[in-house]
Amino acid sequence: SRFETCWPALMKDSHGVIIIFNPELPSHLKEIEMWYSCFVQQQPLLDSQCLLVAHHKPGSAGDTENLSLAYPLNKLKLIHSNLEEDPEDVRMEFIKYFRSIITIMNENREREEMSIIS
């Protein structure tokens, strides 16, 4: 990717990664493995800090339930977004995800504070 030189700056101090892809494009399914490897595994972030969003374009006949991703992507939280049908569901999933990231950040900060004290 022509933006690879920017990746270290994007990754610096990041607490979460959201990968949005089109599940109907086989090339995207290959690419998300690379994004996961670079942005999650190499950082390293926890799998719980990564959210996969399979975005279905309006009018696409997406078979949402039968998207089976290979390991290690199948360990990640996967949500399907189709903004025509259910934007509220997607919004709730994003809120849950952000809450979990904040929890992880708070736990990390407490751990760092305790290590300074002791």
Side-chain angles (χ1 to χ4, degrees):
S1 162
R2 58 176 180 227
F3 297 116
E4 269 178 63
T5 50
C6 307
W7 287 3
L10 286 172
M11 289 188 233
K12 186 175 170 358
D13 299 330
S14 65
H15 297 287
V17 174
I18 297 173
I19 300 173
I20 300 173
F21 65 100
N22 181 342
E24 288 159 49
L25 292 181
S27 64
H28 273 207
L29 297 177
K30 276 264 116 339
E31 277 175 36
I32 55 176
E33 289 179 23
M34 184 217 28
W35 292 110
Y36 171 74
S37 169
C38 293
F39 281 85
V40 181
Q41 288 180 310
Q42 287 173 31
Q43 284 226 67
L45 291 177
L46 302 170
D47 285 340
S48 56
Q49 287 168 279
C50 182
L51 178 66
L52 289 181
V53 181
H55 184 64
H56 301 270
K57 291 188 169 168
S60 66
D63 182 5
T64 57
E65 299 314 308
N66 288 328
L67 177 64
S68 58
L69 297 171
Y71 181 87
L73 298 174
N74 60 5
K75 301 183 299 173
L76 304 174
K77 172 81 176 154
L78 169 69
I79 65 171
H80 291 273
S81 75
N82 182 334
L83 299 182
E84 278 183 318
E85 284 174 21
D86 228 337
E88 191 55 29
D89 265 13
V90 175
R91 202 172 73 88
M92 290 310 297
E93 290 292 352
F94 269 101
I95 290 169
K96 270 196 277 189
Y97 170 69
F98 288 125
R99 280 196 186 128
S100 72
I101 295 294
I102 290 165
T103 302
I104 290 167
M105 286 166 61
N106 288 339
E107 286 169 357
N108 288 345
R109 192 172 61 233
E110 281 168 21
R111 209 173 295 121
E112 280 166 22
E113 287 167 2
M114 290 308 291
S115 69
I116 292 166
I117 292 166
S118 55

